[in-house]
Amino acid sequence: MGRAHEVRAKAMAATAAKRSALFMRASKEIYMAAKSGEADPEMNLALRSAIEKWRGQNVTKDVIDRAIQKAKGGSAEAYSAGRYEAFGPGGSLFIIDTLTDNSNRALVEVRSAITKKGGHMGSTAFNFTETGIFSFKGNNRDEVEENLILSDVDVREVTEEDGVIEVLVEPAAFGQARDVLADLGVKEFEVAEITFLPNEPITLDDPEDKRKYTELCDMLDELQDVQNVYTNVQ
């Protein structure tokens, strides 16, 4: 059928693998959040945040509902969290979080992906700052910042651009900040999560470094044990 068919088939397979991995990540995180407390997002902040996070990545309602029902049904599945740090192509840095029922498999697969693209495992976390981030539509930046400060929320920064407000807070203040924003009428978030932001973001100018970096990100994205990937590349 020719090279064009092979390329299309490979692209479709990669897309399917990424989608499957995405749904698995969402299911595990929502399941664990539901198991940690009430299986009702109105009563469980962690569950509500997880649902909104994955909805923002186009995870279907069916996947979300099945994970919650699984937790309600008393499933005995257990996942352990892991965190790996690595150096990638062109000075790229990675923090890779896993959630898995087989820690040895997770380590082997992450390390294999890193080394295949010329990287190596190593300590990189000091190059990042853990941060709570909220992003939502709005044009009342000053009001948002004032209410957060008056409520003694440990705010790092509040910005507004093109009708979207972004709020950065200390991780410990995440739940408190969310409550204040809800009182201000914020019902939906484009982003609402605790993440790692690079202290000094970089760009990759060399085409070969860019190619290897993109391929590495794709490989990690297809691993079902990988939950989150943080990088310093813009």
Coordinates of all heavy atoms in Angstrom, one line a residue, residues 45-121:
L45 N -13.1 17.8 47.6 CA -12.4 18.8 46.8 C -11.4 18.2 45.9 O -11.2 18.6 44.7 CB -11.6 19.8 47.7 CG -10.7 20.8 47.0 CD1 -11.5 21.7 46.1 CD2 -9.9 21.7 48.1
A46 N -10.7 17.1 46.3 CA -9.7 16.5 45.5 C -10.4 15.8 44.3 O -9.8 15.9 43.2 CB -8.9 15.4 46.3
L47 N -11.5 15.2 44.5 CA -12.2 14.6 43.4 C -12.8 15.6 42.5 O -12.7 15.4 41.2 CB -13.4 13.8 44.0 CG -14.3 13.1 43.0 CD1 -13.5 12.2 42.1 CD2 -15.4 12.3 43.7
R48 N -13.3 16.7 43.0 CA -13.8 17.8 42.1 C -12.7 18.3 41.2 O -12.8 18.6 40.0 CB -14.4 18.9 42.9 CG -15.2 19.9 42.1 CD -16.2 20.7 43.0 NE -15.6 21.6 43.9 CZ -15.6 21.6 45.2 NH1 -16.2 20.6 45.8 NH2 -15.0 22.5 45.9
S49 N -11.5 18.6 41.8 CA -10.4 19.1 41.1 C -9.9 18.1 40.0 O -9.6 18.5 38.9 CB -9.2 19.4 42.0 OG -9.6 20.4 43.0
A50 N -9.9 16.8 40.4 CA -9.4 15.8 39.4 C -10.4 15.8 38.2 O -10.0 15.7 37.1 CB -9.4 14.4 40.1
I51 N -11.7 15.8 38.5 CA -12.7 15.7 37.4 C -12.5 16.9 36.5 O -12.5 16.8 35.3 CB -14.1 15.7 38.0 CG1 -14.4 14.4 38.7 CG2 -15.2 16.0 36.9 CD1 -15.7 14.3 39.5
E52 N -12.4 18.1 37.1 CA -12.3 19.3 36.2 C -11.0 19.3 35.4 O -10.9 19.7 34.3 CB -12.3 20.6 37.1 CG -13.7 20.8 37.6 CD -13.8 22.1 38.4 OE1 -12.8 22.8 38.6 OE2 -15.0 22.5 38.8
K53 N -9.9 18.8 36.0 CA -8.6 18.7 35.3 C -8.8 17.8 34.1 O -8.3 18.2 33.0 CB -7.6 18.1 36.3 CG -6.3 17.7 35.6 CD -5.3 17.0 36.6 CE -4.1 16.5 35.9 NZ -3.2 15.8 36.8
W54 N -9.4 16.7 34.2 CA -9.4 15.8 33.1 C -10.5 16.1 32.1 O -10.4 15.8 30.9 CB -9.6 14.3 33.6 CG -8.3 13.9 34.3 CD1 -8.2 13.7 35.7 CD2 -7.0 13.7 33.8 NE1 -6.9 13.3 36.0 CE2 -6.2 13.3 34.8 CE3 -6.5 13.7 32.5 CZ2 -4.8 13.0 34.7 CZ3 -5.2 13.4 32.3 CH2 -4.4 13.1 33.4
R55 N -11.6 16.8 32.6 CA -12.5 17.3 31.6 C -11.9 18.3 30.7 O -12.2 18.4 29.5 CB -13.7 18.0 32.4 CG -14.8 17.0 32.8 CD -15.9 17.8 33.6 NE -16.9 17.0 34.0 CZ -17.8 17.3 34.9 NH1 -17.8 18.5 35.5 NH2 -18.8 16.5 35.3
G56 N -11.0 19.1 31.2 CA -10.2 20.1 30.4 C -9.3 19.4 29.4 O -8.9 20.1 28.5
Q57 N -9.1 18.1 29.5 CA -8.3 17.4 28.5 C -9.1 16.5 27.7 O -8.6 15.5 27.1 CB -7.1 16.7 29.2 CG -6.2 17.6 30.0 CD -5.0 16.8 30.5 OE1 -4.4 16.0 29.9 NE2 -4.5 17.2 31.7
N58 N -10.4 16.8 27.7 CA -11.4 16.1 26.8 C -11.6 14.6 27.2 O -11.9 13.8 26.3 CB -11.0 16.2 25.3 CG -11.0 17.6 24.8 OD1 -11.9 18.4 25.1 ND2 -10.0 18.0 24.1
V59 N -11.4 14.3 28.4 CA -11.8 12.9 28.9 C -13.3 12.8 29.0 O -13.9 13.7 29.5 CB -11.1 12.6 30.3 CG1 -11.7 11.3 30.9 CG2 -9.6 12.6 30.1
T60 N -13.8 11.8 28.5 CA -15.3 11.7 28.4 C -16.0 11.5 29.7 O -15.4 10.9 30.7 CB -15.7 10.5 27.4 OG1 -15.2 9.3 28.0 CG2 -15.0 10.6 26.1
K61 N -17.2 11.8 29.8 CA -18.0 11.7 31.0 C -18.1 10.2 31.4 O -18.1 9.9 32.6 CB -19.4 12.3 30.8 CG -20.3 12.2 32.0 CD -21.6 12.9 31.7 CE -22.5 13.0 33.0 NZ -22.9 11.6 33.5
D62 N -18.2 9.3 30.4 CA -18.3 7.9 30.7 C -17.1 7.4 31.4 O -17.2 6.6 32.4 CB -18.4 7.1 29.4 CG -18.6 5.7 29.6 OD1 -19.5 5.3 30.3 OD2 -17.9 4.9 29.0
V63 N -15.9 7.8 31.1 CA -14.6 7.4 31.8 C -14.7 7.9 33.2 O -14.3 7.2 34.1 CB -13.4 7.9 31.0 CG1 -12.1 7.7 31.8 CG2 -13.3 7.3 29.7
I64 N -15.1 9.2 33.4 CA -15.1 9.8 34.7 C -16.1 9.0 35.6 O -15.8 8.7 36.7 CB -15.5 11.3 34.6 CG1 -14.3 12.0 33.9 CG2 -15.8 11.8 36.0 CD1 -14.7 13.4 33.6
D65 N -17.3 8.8 35.1 CA -18.4 8.1 35.8 C -18.0 6.7 36.2 O -18.3 6.3 37.4 CB -19.7 8.1 35.1 CG -20.3 9.5 35.0 OD1 -19.9 10.4 35.7 OD2 -21.2 9.7 34.1
R66 N -17.3 6.0 35.3 CA -16.9 4.6 35.6 C -15.9 4.6 36.7 O -15.9 3.7 37.6 CB -16.3 3.9 34.3 CG -17.4 3.4 33.4 CD -16.8 2.3 32.5 NE -15.6 2.7 31.9 CZ -15.4 3.2 30.7 NH1 -16.5 3.5 30.0 NH2 -14.3 3.5 30.2
A67 N -15.0 5.5 36.7 CA -14.0 5.6 37.8 C -14.6 5.8 39.2 O -14.2 5.2 40.2 CB -12.9 6.6 37.5
I68 N -15.6 6.7 39.2 CA -16.3 7.0 40.5 C -17.1 5.8 40.9 O -17.1 5.5 42.1 CB -17.2 8.3 40.3 CG1 -16.3 9.5 40.0 CG2 -18.0 8.5 41.5 CD1 -17.1 10.8 39.7
Q69 N -17.8 5.2 40.0 CA -18.6 4.0 40.4 C -17.7 2.9 40.8 O -18.1 2.1 41.8 CB -19.4 3.6 39.2 CG -20.6 4.5 38.8 CD -21.5 4.7 40.0 OE1 -21.9 3.8 40.7 NE2 -21.9 6.0 40.2
K70 N -16.5 2.8 40.3 CA -15.6 1.7 40.7 C -15.2 1.9 42.1 O -15.1 1.0 42.9 CB -14.3 1.8 39.8 CG -13.4 0.7 39.9 CD -12.3 0.9 38.9 CE -11.3 -0.2 38.9 NZ -10.2 0.0 37.9
A71 N -14.9 3.2 42.5 CA -14.6 3.5 43.9 C -15.7 3.3 44.8 O -15.6 2.8 45.9 CB -14.1 5.0 44.0
K72 N -16.9 3.6 44.4 CA -18.1 3.4 45.2 C -18.3 1.9 45.4 O -18.8 1.5 46.5 CB -19.3 4.0 44.5 CG -19.5 5.5 44.6 CD -20.7 6.0 43.9 CE -20.9 7.5 44.0 NZ -22.2 7.9 43.3
G73 N -18.0 1.1 44.4 CA -18.2 -0.4 44.5 C -17.2 -1.1 45.4 O -17.2 -2.3 45.6
G74 N -16.3 -0.3 46.0 CA -15.3 -0.9 46.9 C -14.2 -1.7 46.3 O -13.6 -2.6 46.9
S75 N -13.8 -1.3 45.1 CA -12.7 -2.0 44.4 C -11.5 -2.0 45.2 O -11.2 -1.0 45.8 CB -12.5 -1.4 43.0 OG -11.3 -1.8 42.4
A76 N -10.8 -3.1 45.2 CA -9.5 -3.2 46.0 C -8.3 -2.8 45.3 O -7.2 -3.0 45.7 CB -9.4 -4.6 46.6
E77 N -8.4 -2.2 44.1 CA -7.2 -1.9 43.3 C -6.4 -0.8 44.1 O -7.0 0.1 44.7 CB -7.6 -1.3 41.9 CG -8.1 -2.3 41.0 CD -8.3 -1.8 39.6 OE1 -7.7 -0.7 39.3 OE2 -9.1 -2.4 38.8
A78 N -5.1 -1.0 44.0 CA -4.2 0.0 44.7 C -3.1 0.4 43.7 O -2.6 -0.4 43.0 CB -3.6 -0.7 45.9
Y79 N -2.9 1.7 43.8 CA -1.8 2.3 42.9 C -0.8 3.0 43.8 O -1.2 3.7 44.8 CB -2.4 3.3 41.9 CG -3.4 2.6 41.0 CD1 -4.8 2.8 41.1 CD2 -3.0 1.9 39.9 CE1 -5.7 2.3 40.3 CE2 -3.9 1.3 39.0 CZ -5.2 1.5 39.2 OH -6.1 0.9 38.4
S80 N 0.4 2.9 43.5 CA 1.4 3.7 44.2 C 2.0 4.8 43.4 O 2.2 4.6 42.1 CB 2.6 2.7 44.7 OG 3.2 2.1 43.6
A81 N 2.3 5.9 44.0 CA 2.8 7.1 43.3 C 4.3 7.0 43.3 O 5.0 6.6 44.2 CB 2.3 8.3 43.9
G82 N 4.9 7.4 42.1 CA 6.4 7.5 42.0 C 6.7 8.8 41.3 O 5.9 9.5 40.7
R83 N 7.9 9.3 41.6 CA 8.4 10.5 40.9 C 9.9 10.3 40.5 O 10.7 9.8 41.2 CB 8.4 11.7 41.9 CG 9.0 13.0 41.3 CD 8.5 14.2 42.1 NE 7.1 14.4 41.9 CZ 6.4 15.2 42.7 NH1 6.9 15.8 43.7 NH2 5.1 15.4 42.4
Y84 N 10.1 10.6 39.2 CA 11.4 10.4 38.6 C 11.9 11.7 38.0 O 11.1 12.5 37.4 CB 11.4 9.3 37.5 CG 10.8 8.0 38.1 CD1 9.5 7.6 37.8 CD2 11.6 7.2 38.8 CE1 9.0 6.5 38.3 CE2 11.1 6.0 39.4 CZ 9.8 5.6 39.1 OH 9.3 4.5 39.6
E85 N 13.2 12.0 38.1 CA 13.7 13.2 37.5 C 14.8 12.8 36.5 O 15.5 11.8 36.6 CB 14.4 14.0 38.6 CG 13.4 14.4 39.8 CD 14.1 14.9 41.0 OE1 15.1 15.7 40.8 OE2 13.7 14.6 42.1
A86 N 14.8 13.7 35.4 CA 15.7 13.3 34.3 C 16.1 14.5 33.5 O 15.5 15.5 33.5 CB 15.0 12.3 33.4
F87 N 17.3 14.3 32.8 CA 17.8 15.3 31.9 C 17.5 14.7 30.5 O 17.8 13.6 30.2 CB 19.3 15.4 32.0 CG 19.7 16.0 33.4 CD1 19.9 15.2 34.5 CD2 19.9 17.4 33.5 CE1 20.2 15.8 35.7 CE2 20.3 17.9 34.7 CZ 20.4 17.1 35.8
G88 N 17.0 15.6 29.6 CA 16.6 15.2 28.2 C 17.5 15.9 27.2 O 18.5 16.6 27.6
P89 N 17.1 15.9 26.0 CA 17.9 16.5 24.9 C 18.0 18.0 25.0 O 17.1 18.7 25.5 CB 17.1 16.1 23.6 CG 16.3 15.0 24.0 CD 15.9 15.2 25.5
G90 N 19.1 18.6 24.6 CA 19.3 20.0 24.5 C 19.1 20.8 25.8 O 18.7 22.0 25.8
G91 N 19.5 20.2 26.9 CA 19.3 20.9 28.2 C 17.9 20.9 28.8 O 17.6 21.6 29.7
S92 N 17.0 20.0 28.2 CA 15.7 19.9 28.8 C 15.7 19.1 30.1 O 16.5 18.2 30.3 CB 14.8 19.2 27.7 OG 15.3 17.9 27.4
L93 N 14.8 19.5 31.0 CA 14.7 18.9 32.3 C 13.3 18.3 32.5 O 12.4 18.9 32.0 CB 15.0 19.9 33.4 CG 16.4 20.7 33.3 CD1 16.5 21.7 34.4 CD2 17.6 19.7 33.4
F94 N 13.2 17.2 33.2 CA 11.9 16.6 33.4 C 11.7 16.2 34.8 O 12.6 15.8 35.5 CB 11.8 15.3 32.5 CG 11.7 15.5 31.0 CD1 12.9 15.7 30.3 CD2 10.5 15.5 30.4 CE1 12.8 15.9 28.9 CE2 10.4 15.7 29.1 CZ 11.5 15.9 28.3
I95 N 10.5 16.3 35.2 CA 9.9 15.7 36.4 C 8.8 14.8 35.9 O 7.9 15.3 35.3 CB 9.4 16.7 37.5 CG1 10.6 17.5 38.0 CG2 8.8 15.9 38.7 CD1 10.1 18.6 39.0
I96 N 8.8 13.5 36.2 CA 7.8 12.6 35.7 C 7.2 11.9 36.9 O 7.8 11.2 37.7 CB 8.5 11.6 34.8 CG1 9.2 12.3 33.7 CG2 7.5 10.6 34.2 CD1 10.3 11.4 33.0
D97 N 5.9 12.1 37.0 CA 5.1 11.4 38.1 C 4.4 10.2 37.5 O 3.9 10.2 36.4 CB 4.0 12.4 38.6 CG 4.6 13.4 39.6 OD1 5.8 13.2 40.0 OD2 3.9 14.4 39.8
T98 N 4.4 9.1 38.3 CA 3.7 7.9 37.9 C 2.7 7.5 38.9 O 2.8 7.9 40.1 CB 4.7 6.7 37.7 OG1 5.4 6.5 38.9 CG2 5.7 7.0 36.6
L99 N 1.7 6.8 38.5 CA 0.7 6.2 39.4 C 0.5 4.8 38.8 O -0.1 4.6 37.7 CB -0.6 7.0 39.4 CG -1.6 6.7 40.4 CD1 -1.0 6.9 41.8 CD2 -2.9 7.6 40.2
T100 N 0.9 3.8 39.5 CA 1.0 2.4 38.9 C 0.7 1.3 39.9 O 0.9 1.5 41.1 CB 2.4 2.2 38.3 OG1 2.5 0.9 37.8 CG2 3.5 2.4 39.4
D101 N 0.4 0.2 39.4 CA 0.2 -1.0 40.2 C 1.5 -1.9 40.1 O 1.5 -3.0 40.6 CB -1.0 -1.8 39.8 CG -1.0 -2.2 38.3 OD1 0.0 -1.9 37.6 OD2 -1.9 -2.9 37.9
N102 N 2.5 -1.4 39.4 CA 3.8 -2.1 39.3 C 4.9 -1.1 39.2 O 5.3 -0.6 38.1 CB 3.7 -3.0 38.0 CG 4.9 -3.9 37.9 OD1 6.0 -3.5 38.3 ND2 4.7 -5.1 37.4
S103 N 5.5 -0.8 40.3 CA 6.5 0.3 40.3 C 7.8 -0.1 39.5 O 8.4 0.8 38.9 CB 6.9 0.6 41.8 OG 5.8 1.1 42.5
N104 N 8.1 -1.4 39.5 CA 9.3 -1.8 38.7 C 9.1 -1.5 37.2 O 10.0 -1.0 36.5 CB 9.6 -3.3 39.0 CG 10.2 -3.5 40.4 OD1 10.8 -2.6 41.0 ND2 10.0 -4.7 40.9
R105 N 7.9 -1.9 36.8 CA 7.6 -1.6 35.4 C 7.6 -0.2 35.0 O 8.2 0.3 34.0 CB 6.2 -2.2 35.0 CG 5.8 -2.0 33.6 CD 4.3 -2.4 33.4 NE 3.4 -1.5 34.1 CZ 2.3 -1.9 34.7 NH1 1.9 -3.2 34.7 NH2 1.5 -1.1 35.4
A106 N 7.1 0.7 35.9 CA 7.0 2.1 35.7 C 8.5 2.7 35.5 O 8.8 3.4 34.6 CB 6.3 2.8 36.8
L107 N 9.3 2.3 36.5 CA 10.7 2.8 36.4 C 11.4 2.3 35.1 O 12.1 3.1 34.5 CB 11.5 2.2 37.6 CG 13.0 2.5 37.6 CD1 13.3 4.0 37.5 CD2 13.6 1.9 38.9
V108 N 11.3 1.1 34.8 CA 12.0 0.5 33.6 C 11.5 1.3 32.3 O 12.3 1.7 31.5 CB 11.7 -1.0 33.5 CG1 12.2 -1.5 32.1 CG2 12.5 -1.7 34.6
E109 N 10.2 1.5 32.2 CA 9.6 2.1 31.0 C 10.0 3.6 30.9 O 10.4 4.1 29.8 CB 8.1 2.0 31.0 CG 7.7 0.5 30.7 CD 6.2 0.4 30.6 OE1 5.4 1.4 31.0 OE2 5.7 -0.6 30.1
V110 N 10.0 4.3 32.0 CA 10.4 5.7 32.0 C 11.9 5.8 31.7 O 12.3 6.6 30.9 CB 10.1 6.4 33.4 CG1 10.8 7.7 33.5 CG2 8.6 6.5 33.6
R111 N 12.7 5.0 32.4 CA 14.2 5.1 32.1 C 14.5 4.7 30.7 O 15.4 5.3 30.1 CB 14.9 4.2 33.1 CG 16.4 4.2 33.0 CD 17.1 3.6 34.2 NE 16.6 2.2 34.3 CZ 16.7 1.5 35.4 NH1 17.3 2.0 36.5 NH2 16.3 0.2 35.5
S112 N 13.8 3.7 30.1 CA 14.1 3.3 28.8 C 13.7 4.5 27.8 O 14.5 4.7 26.8 CB 13.2 2.1 28.4 OG 13.3 1.7 27.1
A113 N 12.6 5.1 28.0 CA 12.2 6.3 27.1 C 13.3 7.4 27.2 O 13.7 7.9 26.2 CB 10.9 6.8 27.5
I114 N 13.7 7.7 28.4 CA 14.7 8.8 28.6 C 16.0 8.4 27.9 O 16.6 9.2 27.1 CB 15.0 9.0 30.1 CG1 13.7 9.6 30.7 CG2 16.2 10.0 30.2 CD1 13.3 11.0 30.3
T115 N 16.5 7.2 28.1 CA 17.8 6.9 27.5 C 17.8 6.7 26.0 O 18.8 7.0 25.3 CB 18.4 5.6 28.2 OG1 17.4 4.5 28.0 CG2 18.6 5.8 29.7
K116 N 16.7 6.3 25.5 CA 16.6 6.1 24.0 C 16.7 7.4 23.3 O 17.1 7.4 22.1 CB 15.2 5.5 23.7 CG 15.1 4.0 23.8 CD 13.8 3.4 23.5 CE 13.7 1.9 23.6 NZ 12.4 1.4 23.3
K117 N 16.4 8.5 23.9 CA 16.5 9.8 23.3 C 17.7 10.6 23.8 O 17.8 11.8 23.8 CB 15.2 10.6 23.5 CG 14.0 10.0 22.9 CD 14.3 9.8 21.4 CE 13.2 9.0 20.7 NZ 13.5 8.7 19.3
G118 N 18.7 9.9 24.4 CA 20.0 10.5 24.7 C 20.0 11.2 26.1 O 21.0 11.9 26.4
G119 N 19.0 10.9 26.9 CA 18.9 11.6 28.2 C 19.4 10.6 29.3 O 19.8 9.5 29.0
H120 N 19.3 11.0 30.5 CA 19.7 10.2 31.6 C 18.9 10.6 32.9 O 18.5 11.8 33.0 CB 21.2 10.2 31.9 CG 21.7 11.5 32.2 ND1 22.1 12.5 31.3 CD2 22.0 12.1 33.5 CE1 22.5 13.6 31.9 NE2 22.5 13.4 33.2
M121 N 18.8 9.7 33.8 CA 18.1 10.0 35.1 C 19.1 10.9 35.9 O 20.3 10.8 35.9 CB 17.8 8.7 35.8 CG 17.0 7.7 35.0 SD 15.4 8.3 34.4 CE 14.4 8.1 35.9

